[in-house]
Amino acid sequence: MSFLKTSDMRVGTAQPFPGGIAAGASLRTPCGLRRIEMVRPGDLVVTRDNGLQPVRRIWERSVTAAEMAAERSLAPICLQPRALGPMLPANRISLAPDQRFLVPGYRLEGQQDTAGCLVAARDLAEPVEGAFLDMSAKRVRFFTILFDTHQVFCVDGLPVESFLASASAIARLDEGLRDDVLALFPELATKPNAYAPAPYKVLNSVQYLPDRV
């Protein structure tokens, strides 16, 4: 059985998985940068907090121009280089609107300066100059990575999160991917919250402070 799961989205259907990083982005491995579409299960990735971690699954889904035209919320959020600060990101990158990444607390209203928070890309598309909804592509391929535990890893300098296999996230997966996760982590079938939560605060809405960038 191939461990590279591919699912195409259809207009009006639920996403096979939340979030995603668009093809073309590069992440850090012990052998140097690798484009996300070239990553395979078993590959080691440099993570922010836990050193080298092996990829357990990488999933792919596609969104076409027709689907984006029918539902604008499916289109990626594009971040231009330095949109969030030096090397954040280092290169232009496109993310699914609900893909979360780590933002320093000092750039968010009401958060501790020294604490990072996980924020969805769509929440920064308007307040951040250089971050915008991108409808220009004919087709976008999104990828998401699953590790043994939740991780933050750098993609073109931007610290993004891996798939968080929480009970609610697993329930929203399409059937094939849900079965795949439960086969990989069978304890989740009887203990839905056995997968460790994210070590960072997850924010559902933010007030960005661009003057602090």
Side-chain angles (χ1 to χ4, degrees), residues 69-126:
E71 180 52 70
R72 289 174 59 88
S73 65
L74 298 178
I77 303 299
C78 176
L79 277 74
Q80 300 282 26
R82 298 175 57 88
L84 300 172
M87 304 298 289
L88 288 172
N91 303 301
R92 177 181 168 127
I93 184 174
S94 292
L95 304 171
D98 54 347
Q99 173 65 47
R100 295 189 297 232
F101 54 88
L102 198 63
V103 177
Y106 64 81
R107 294 176 188 164
L108 301 171
E109 180 69 36
Q111 303 302 318
Q112 296 182 8
D113 284 0
T114 57
C117 300
L118 291 169
V119 177
R122 62 175 168 238
D123 290 336
L124 297 182
E126 291 186 6

Short mmCIF file of all heavy atoms in Angstrom, two decimals, residues 69-126:
data_model
loop_
_atom_site.label_atom_id
_atom_site.label_comp_id
_atom_site.label_asym_id
_atom_site.label_seq_id
_atom_site.Cartn_x
_atom_site.Cartn_y
_atom_site.Cartn_z
N ALA A 69 -13.10 29.61 -7.94
CA ALA A 69 -14.07 30.60 -8.43
C ALA A 69 -15.44 30.37 -7.81
O ALA A 69 -16.16 31.33 -7.50
CB ALA A 69 -14.16 30.53 -9.95
N ALA A 70 -15.80 29.10 -7.60
CA ALA A 70 -17.09 28.79 -6.99
C ALA A 70 -17.09 29.04 -5.50
O ALA A 70 -18.13 29.37 -4.92
CB ALA A 70 -17.45 27.32 -7.27
N GLU A 71 -15.93 28.92 -4.86
CA GLU A 71 -15.83 29.11 -3.40
C GLU A 71 -14.48 29.74 -3.09
O GLU A 71 -13.46 29.06 -3.00
CB GLU A 71 -15.99 27.77 -2.68
CG GLU A 71 -15.90 27.87 -1.16
CD GLU A 71 -16.86 28.90 -0.60
OE1 GLU A 71 -18.07 28.66 -0.64
OE2 GLU A 71 -16.36 29.97 -0.14
N ARG A 72 -14.48 31.07 -2.97
CA ARG A 72 -13.22 31.80 -2.80
C ARG A 72 -12.44 31.37 -1.56
O ARG A 72 -11.21 31.49 -1.52
CB ARG A 72 -13.50 33.31 -2.72
CG ARG A 72 -13.94 33.93 -4.03
CD ARG A 72 -14.35 35.39 -3.86
NE ARG A 72 -13.28 36.22 -3.33
CZ ARG A 72 -12.37 36.84 -4.06
NH1 ARG A 72 -12.39 36.70 -5.39
NH2 ARG A 72 -11.44 37.59 -3.51
N SER A 73 -13.13 30.86 -0.56
CA SER A 73 -12.45 30.46 0.68
C SER A 73 -11.55 29.25 0.49
O SER A 73 -10.78 28.90 1.39
CB SER A 73 -13.48 30.16 1.77
OG SER A 73 -14.27 29.04 1.43
N LEU A 74 -11.59 28.60 -0.68
CA LEU A 74 -10.71 27.48 -0.96
C LEU A 74 -9.35 27.94 -1.50
O LEU A 74 -8.40 27.16 -1.53
CB LEU A 74 -11.35 26.54 -1.99
CG LEU A 74 -12.66 25.86 -1.59
CD1 LEU A 74 -13.17 25.01 -2.74
CD2 LEU A 74 -12.47 25.02 -0.33
N ALA A 75 -9.27 29.19 -1.94
CA ALA A 75 -8.05 29.70 -2.55
C ALA A 75 -6.96 29.88 -1.50
O ALA A 75 -7.23 30.15 -0.33
CB ALA A 75 -8.32 31.03 -3.25
N PRO A 76 -5.70 29.74 -1.90
CA PRO A 76 -4.60 29.86 -0.94
C PRO A 76 -4.37 31.30 -0.49
O PRO A 76 -4.75 32.25 -1.18
CB PRO A 76 -3.39 29.34 -1.72
CG PRO A 76 -3.73 29.63 -3.15
CD PRO A 76 -5.22 29.42 -3.26
N ILE A 77 -3.74 31.42 0.64
CA ILE A 77 -3.24 32.70 1.12
C ILE A 77 -1.77 32.77 0.75
O ILE A 77 -0.99 31.88 1.11
CB ILE A 77 -3.40 32.84 2.65
CG1 ILE A 77 -4.87 32.67 3.05
CG2 ILE A 77 -2.85 34.19 3.11
CD1 ILE A 77 -5.82 33.66 2.45
N CYS A 78 -1.39 33.79 0.02
CA CYS A 78 -0.01 33.97 -0.40
C CYS A 78 0.69 34.95 0.54
O CYS A 78 0.14 36.02 0.85
CB CYS A 78 0.05 34.48 -1.83
SG CYS A 78 1.72 34.85 -2.41
N LEU A 79 1.86 34.59 1.00
CA LEU A 79 2.70 35.48 1.81
C LEU A 79 3.95 35.82 0.99
O LEU A 79 4.69 34.93 0.57
CB LEU A 79 3.11 34.82 3.13
CG LEU A 79 2.12 34.89 4.28
CD1 LEU A 79 0.95 33.95 4.04
CD2 LEU A 79 2.80 34.55 5.60
N GLN A 80 4.14 37.11 0.79
CA GLN A 80 5.33 37.57 0.10
C GLN A 80 6.53 37.50 1.03
O GLN A 80 6.37 37.47 2.26
CB GLN A 80 5.13 39.00 -0.39
CG GLN A 80 3.98 39.19 -1.36
CD GLN A 80 4.34 38.74 -2.76
OE1 GLN A 80 5.19 37.89 -2.96
NE2 GLN A 80 3.68 39.32 -3.75
N PRO A 81 7.76 37.46 0.48
CA PRO A 81 8.95 37.47 1.34
C PRO A 81 8.93 38.64 2.32
O PRO A 81 8.56 39.75 1.96
CB PRO A 81 10.10 37.60 0.33
CG PRO A 81 9.56 37.01 -0.93
CD PRO A 81 8.11 37.38 -0.95
N ARG A 82 9.26 38.33 3.58
CA ARG A 82 9.35 39.32 4.67
C ARG A 82 8.01 39.92 5.04
O ARG A 82 7.96 40.97 5.69
CB ARG A 82 10.35 40.44 4.30
CG ARG A 82 11.77 39.96 4.09
CD ARG A 82 12.69 41.09 3.61
NE ARG A 82 12.69 42.20 4.55
CZ ARG A 82 13.51 42.31 5.60
NH1 ARG A 82 14.40 41.35 5.83
NH2 ARG A 82 13.46 43.34 6.40
N ALA A 83 6.92 39.29 4.68
CA ALA A 83 5.61 39.83 5.03
C ALA A 83 5.43 39.98 6.53
O ALA A 83 4.75 40.91 6.99
CB ALA A 83 4.50 38.94 4.45
N LEU A 84 6.03 39.08 7.30
CA LEU A 84 5.89 39.11 8.75
C LEU A 84 7.15 39.56 9.46
O LEU A 84 7.18 39.64 10.69
CB LEU A 84 5.49 37.72 9.26
CG LEU A 84 4.17 37.17 8.72
CD1 LEU A 84 3.98 35.72 9.16
CD2 LEU A 84 2.99 38.01 9.20
N GLY A 85 8.21 39.84 8.72
CA GLY A 85 9.46 40.25 9.32
C GLY A 85 10.63 39.62 8.59
O GLY A 85 10.45 38.90 7.60
N PRO A 86 11.86 39.86 9.06
CA PRO A 86 13.04 39.30 8.40
C PRO A 86 12.96 37.78 8.27
O PRO A 86 12.77 37.07 9.25
CB PRO A 86 14.18 39.72 9.34
CG PRO A 86 13.67 40.93 10.04
CD PRO A 86 12.20 40.70 10.21
N MET A 87 13.05 37.29 7.03
CA MET A 87 13.04 35.86 6.73
C MET A 87 11.70 35.19 7.05
O MET A 87 11.61 33.96 7.13
CB MET A 87 14.17 35.12 7.47
CG MET A 87 15.54 35.68 7.20
SD MET A 87 16.02 35.55 5.45
CE MET A 87 16.27 33.79 5.29
N LEU A 88 10.66 35.95 7.27
CA LEU A 88 9.34 35.40 7.60
C LEU A 88 8.31 35.84 6.55
O LEU A 88 7.63 36.85 6.74
CB LEU A 88 8.89 35.86 8.99
CG LEU A 88 9.60 35.25 10.18
CD1 LEU A 88 9.18 35.94 11.47
CD2 LEU A 88 9.29 33.77 10.28
N PRO A 89 8.14 35.09 5.49
CA PRO A 89 8.99 33.97 5.08
C PRO A 89 10.19 34.46 4.29
O PRO A 89 10.27 35.63 3.91
CB PRO A 89 8.05 33.15 4.20
CG PRO A 89 7.16 34.18 3.57
CD PRO A 89 6.97 35.25 4.63
N ALA A 90 11.11 33.54 4.02
CA ALA A 90 12.29 33.89 3.24
C ALA A 90 11.94 34.00 1.75
O ALA A 90 12.56 34.77 1.02
CB ALA A 90 13.39 32.86 3.45
N ASN A 91 10.96 33.22 1.32
CA ASN A 91 10.52 33.22 -0.08
C ASN A 91 9.00 33.30 -0.11
O ASN A 91 8.33 33.05 0.90
CB ASN A 91 10.98 31.94 -0.79
CG ASN A 91 12.47 31.75 -0.73
OD1 ASN A 91 13.23 32.59 -1.20
ND2 ASN A 91 12.91 30.64 -0.15
N ARG A 92 8.47 33.63 -1.26
CA ARG A 92 7.01 33.61 -1.43
C ARG A 92 6.48 32.22 -1.14
O ARG A 92 7.04 31.22 -1.59
CB ARG A 92 6.66 34.04 -2.85
CG ARG A 92 5.17 33.98 -3.18
CD ARG A 92 4.93 34.40 -4.61
NE ARG A 92 3.58 34.10 -5.04
CZ ARG A 92 2.74 34.97 -5.59
NH1 ARG A 92 3.13 36.23 -5.77
NH2 ARG A 92 1.53 34.62 -5.97
N ILE A 93 5.41 32.15 -0.38
CA ILE A 93 4.83 30.86 0.00
C ILE A 93 3.32 30.96 -0.03
O ILE A 93 2.75 32.03 0.27
CB ILE A 93 5.34 30.44 1.40
CG1 ILE A 93 4.83 29.04 1.77
CG2 ILE A 93 4.95 31.45 2.46
CD1 ILE A 93 5.42 28.52 3.07
N SER A 94 2.66 29.87 -0.40
CA SER A 94 1.20 29.83 -0.40
C SER A 94 0.73 28.74 0.55
O SER A 94 1.28 27.62 0.56
CB SER A 94 0.67 29.55 -1.81
OG SER A 94 0.92 30.65 -2.66
N LEU A 95 -0.29 29.06 1.34
CA LEU A 95 -0.83 28.15 2.34
C LEU A 95 -2.34 28.05 2.19
O LEU A 95 -3.00 29.00 1.75
CB LEU A 95 -0.51 28.66 3.75
CG LEU A 95 0.95 28.92 4.10
CD1 LEU A 95 1.03 29.63 5.45
CD2 LEU A 95 1.75 27.64 4.12
N ALA A 96 -2.90 26.91 2.58
CA ALA A 96 -4.34 26.81 2.69
C ALA A 96 -4.81 27.83 3.72
O ALA A 96 -4.09 28.13 4.69
CB ALA A 96 -4.74 25.40 3.10
N PRO A 97 -6.00 28.40 3.55
CA PRO A 97 -6.46 29.45 4.47
C PRO A 97 -6.46 29.04 5.94
O PRO A 97 -6.21 29.87 6.81
CB PRO A 97 -7.88 29.74 3.99
CG PRO A 97 -7.87 29.35 2.54
CD PRO A 97 -6.97 28.16 2.45
N ASP A 98 -6.72 27.74 6.24
CA ASP A 98 -6.77 27.31 7.62
C ASP A 98 -5.46 26.69 8.10
O ASP A 98 -5.39 26.17 9.21
CB ASP A 98 -7.92 26.33 7.86
CG ASP A 98 -7.88 25.14 6.92
OD1 ASP A 98 -7.12 25.18 5.93
OD2 ASP A 98 -8.61 24.15 7.16
N GLN A 99 -4.41 26.76 7.28
CA GLN A 99 -3.10 26.29 7.73
C GLN A 99 -2.56 27.24 8.79
O GLN A 99 -2.48 28.45 8.57
CB GLN A 99 -2.12 26.20 6.56
CG GLN A 99 -0.68 25.88 6.98
CD GLN A 99 -0.55 24.50 7.59
OE1 GLN A 99 -1.07 23.53 7.05
NE2 GLN A 99 0.14 24.40 8.73
N ARG A 100 -2.20 26.69 9.94
CA ARG A 100 -1.69 27.54 11.02
C ARG A 100 -0.17 27.59 11.01
O ARG A 100 0.49 26.65 10.63
CB ARG A 100 -2.20 27.02 12.37
CG ARG A 100 -3.71 27.13 12.52
CD ARG A 100 -4.18 26.83 13.92
NE ARG A 100 -3.89 25.48 14.33
CZ ARG A 100 -4.79 24.62 14.84
NH1 ARG A 100 -6.05 25.00 14.97
NH2 ARG A 100 -4.44 23.41 15.23
N PHE A 101 0.34 28.72 11.46
CA PHE A 101 1.78 28.87 11.64
C PHE A 101 2.03 29.72 12.88
O PHE A 101 1.12 30.37 13.42
CB PHE A 101 2.46 29.47 10.40
CG PHE A 101 1.87 30.76 9.91
CD1 PHE A 101 2.30 31.97 10.40
CD2 PHE A 101 0.87 30.76 8.94
CE1 PHE A 101 1.77 33.16 9.94
CE2 PHE A 101 0.34 31.93 8.47
CZ PHE A 101 0.78 33.14 8.97
N LEU A 102 3.26 29.68 13.35
CA LEU A 102 3.61 30.29 14.62
C LEU A 102 3.95 31.77 14.42
O LEU A 102 4.79 32.12 13.59
CB LEU A 102 4.81 29.56 15.23
CG LEU A 102 5.08 29.76 16.71
CD1 LEU A 102 3.93 29.23 17.56
CD2 LEU A 102 6.38 29.06 17.10
N VAL A 103 3.27 32.60 15.18
CA VAL A 103 3.49 34.05 15.13
C VAL A 103 3.95 34.51 16.51
O VAL A 103 3.35 34.14 17.52
CB VAL A 103 2.19 34.79 14.73
CG1 VAL A 103 2.41 36.30 14.75
CG2 VAL A 103 1.71 34.34 13.36
N PRO A 104 5.03 35.30 16.59
CA PRO A 104 5.50 35.78 17.90
C PRO A 104 4.42 36.59 18.61
O PRO A 104 3.69 37.37 18.00
CB PRO A 104 6.70 36.66 17.54
CG PRO A 104 7.15 36.18 16.19
CD PRO A 104 5.90 35.74 15.49
N GLY A 105 4.33 36.40 19.92
CA GLY A 105 3.31 37.08 20.71
C GLY A 105 3.38 38.59 20.64
O GLY A 105 2.34 39.26 20.74
N TYR A 106 4.59 39.15 20.46
CA TYR A 106 4.70 40.61 20.45
C TYR A 106 4.07 41.24 19.20
O TYR A 106 3.92 42.46 19.13
CB TYR A 106 6.16 41.05 20.59
CG TYR A 106 7.08 40.66 19.46
CD1 TYR A 106 7.13 41.39 18.27
CD2 TYR A 106 7.93 39.57 19.59
CE1 TYR A 106 7.98 41.04 17.26
CE2 TYR A 106 8.79 39.21 18.58
CZ TYR A 106 8.82 39.94 17.42
OH TYR A 106 9.68 39.58 16.41
N ARG A 107 3.68 40.41 18.23
CA ARG A 107 2.99 40.92 17.04
C ARG A 107 1.48 40.72 17.13
O ARG A 107 0.76 40.99 16.16
CB ARG A 107 3.53 40.24 15.78
CG ARG A 107 4.98 40.59 15.52
CD ARG A 107 5.54 39.86 14.36
NE ARG A 107 6.97 40.10 14.26
CZ ARG A 107 7.81 39.37 13.53
NH1 ARG A 107 7.34 38.36 12.83
NH2 ARG A 107 9.09 39.64 13.49
N LEU A 108 1.01 40.25 18.29
CA LEU A 108 -0.42 39.98 18.46
C LEU A 108 -0.96 40.71 19.67
O LEU A 108 -0.39 40.62 20.77
CB LEU A 108 -0.65 38.46 18.61
CG LEU A 108 -0.16 37.60 17.45
CD1 LEU A 108 -0.23 36.13 17.82
CD2 LEU A 108 -0.97 37.88 16.19
N GLU A 109 -2.05 41.41 19.48
CA GLU A 109 -2.68 42.17 20.57
C GLU A 109 -3.08 41.24 21.72
O GLU A 109 -3.70 40.19 21.51
CB GLU A 109 -3.91 42.89 20.05
CG GLU A 109 -4.65 43.73 21.09
CD GLU A 109 -3.85 44.94 21.52
OE1 GLU A 109 -3.17 45.53 20.67
OE2 GLU A 109 -3.93 45.29 22.72
N GLY A 110 -2.67 41.61 22.94
CA GLY A 110 -3.10 40.88 24.12
C GLY A 110 -2.32 39.62 24.44
O GLY A 110 -2.69 38.89 25.37
N GLN A 111 -1.25 39.33 23.69
CA GLN A 111 -0.47 38.12 23.94
C GLN A 111 0.88 38.47 24.55
O GLN A 111 1.39 39.57 24.37
CB GLN A 111 -0.26 37.35 22.63
CG GLN A 111 -1.55 36.97 21.93
CD GLN A 111 -2.46 36.12 22.80
OE1 GLN A 111 -2.01 35.21 23.50
NE2 GLN A 111 -3.75 36.44 22.76
N GLN A 112 1.45 37.52 25.28
CA GLN A 112 2.75 37.72 25.88
C GLN A 112 3.81 37.89 24.80
O GLN A 112 3.82 37.16 23.81
CB GLN A 112 3.11 36.54 26.77
CG GLN A 112 2.21 36.36 27.98
CD GLN A 112 2.65 35.20 28.84
OE1 GLN A 112 3.71 34.62 28.64
NE2 GLN A 112 1.83 34.85 29.82
N ASP A 113 4.70 38.84 25.00
CA ASP A 113 5.72 39.11 23.99
C ASP A 113 6.58 37.90 23.69
O ASP A 113 7.03 37.70 22.56
CB ASP A 113 6.62 40.27 24.45
CG ASP A 113 5.95 41.62 24.30
OD1 ASP A 113 4.79 41.65 23.84
OD2 ASP A 113 6.57 42.64 24.65
N THR A 114 6.86 37.08 24.70
CA THR A 114 7.80 35.98 24.54
C THR A 114 7.14 34.66 24.13
O THR A 114 7.82 33.65 23.97
CB THR A 114 8.57 35.75 25.84
OG1 THR A 114 7.63 35.51 26.92
CG2 THR A 114 9.41 36.98 26.19
N ALA A 115 5.82 34.65 23.99
CA ALA A 115 5.10 33.40 23.68
C ALA A 115 4.60 33.42 22.24
O ALA A 115 3.94 34.37 21.82
CB ALA A 115 3.93 33.21 24.64
N GLY A 116 4.90 32.36 21.51
CA GLY A 116 4.38 32.24 20.16
C GLY A 116 2.98 31.66 20.17
O GLY A 116 2.61 30.90 21.06
N CYS A 117 2.18 32.01 19.17
CA CYS A 117 0.81 31.52 19.05
C CYS A 117 0.59 30.99 17.63
O CYS A 117 1.15 31.50 16.67
CB CYS A 117 -0.19 32.64 19.32
SG CYS A 117 -0.07 33.38 20.97
N LEU A 118 -0.24 29.97 17.53
CA LEU A 118 -0.58 29.40 16.23
C LEU A 118 -1.79 30.14 15.66
O LEU A 118 -2.83 30.23 16.30
CB LEU A 118 -0.89 27.91 16.36
CG LEU A 118 0.33 27.03 16.69
CD1 LEU A 118 -0.12 25.62 17.07
CD2 LEU A 118 1.30 26.99 15.52
N VAL A 119 -1.61 30.67 14.45
CA VAL A 119 -2.62 31.52 13.82
C VAL A 119 -2.88 31.00 12.41
O VAL A 119 -1.94 30.62 11.69
CB VAL A 119 -2.12 32.98 13.76
CG1 VAL A 119 -3.12 33.86 13.02
CG2 VAL A 119 -1.86 33.51 15.17
N ALA A 120 -4.15 30.97 11.99
CA ALA A 120 -4.48 30.53 10.64
C ALA A 120 -4.10 31.60 9.62
O ALA A 120 -4.25 32.80 9.87
CB ALA A 120 -5.98 30.23 10.54
N ALA A 121 -3.65 31.16 8.47
CA ALA A 121 -3.19 32.09 7.43
C ALA A 121 -4.28 33.09 7.05
O ALA A 121 -4.00 34.26 6.81
CB ALA A 121 -2.74 31.30 6.20
N ARG A 122 -5.54 32.66 7.00
CA ARG A 122 -6.62 33.55 6.58
C ARG A 122 -6.78 34.73 7.53
O ARG A 122 -7.25 35.79 7.12
CB ARG A 122 -7.93 32.78 6.48
CG ARG A 122 -8.42 32.19 7.78
CD ARG A 122 -9.78 31.53 7.65
NE ARG A 122 -10.07 30.74 8.83
CZ ARG A 122 -10.34 29.44 8.81
NH1 ARG A 122 -10.34 28.77 7.68
NH2 ARG A 122 -10.58 28.80 9.93
N ASP A 123 -6.40 34.56 8.81
CA ASP A 123 -6.58 35.63 9.78
C ASP A 123 -5.58 36.76 9.60
O ASP A 123 -5.73 37.83 10.20
CB ASP A 123 -6.47 35.07 11.20
CG ASP A 123 -7.65 34.19 11.56
OD1 ASP A 123 -8.72 34.37 10.96
OD2 ASP A 123 -7.50 33.31 12.44
N LEU A 124 -4.54 36.53 8.78
CA LEU A 124 -3.54 37.58 8.55
C LEU A 124 -3.57 38.10 7.11
O LEU A 124 -2.76 38.93 6.74
CB LEU A 124 -2.14 37.04 8.87
CG LEU A 124 -1.91 36.62 10.33
CD1 LEU A 124 -0.47 36.15 10.53
CD2 LEU A 124 -2.21 37.77 11.29
N ALA A 125 -4.53 37.61 6.31
CA ALA A 125 -4.55 37.98 4.89
C ALA A 125 -4.85 39.45 4.67
O ALA A 125 -4.36 40.04 3.72
CB ALA A 125 -5.57 37.12 4.14
N GLU A 126 -5.64 40.07 5.54
CA GLU A 126 -5.96 41.48 5.36
C GLU A 126 -5.08 42.41 6.20
O GLU A 126 -4.59 43.41 5.69
CB GLU A 126 -7.44 41.72 5.66
CG GLU A 126 -8.36 41.09 4.62
CD GLU A 126 -9.81 41.46 4.85
OE1 GLU A 126 -10.08 42.29 5.75
OE2 GLU A 126 -10.68 40.94 4.14
#
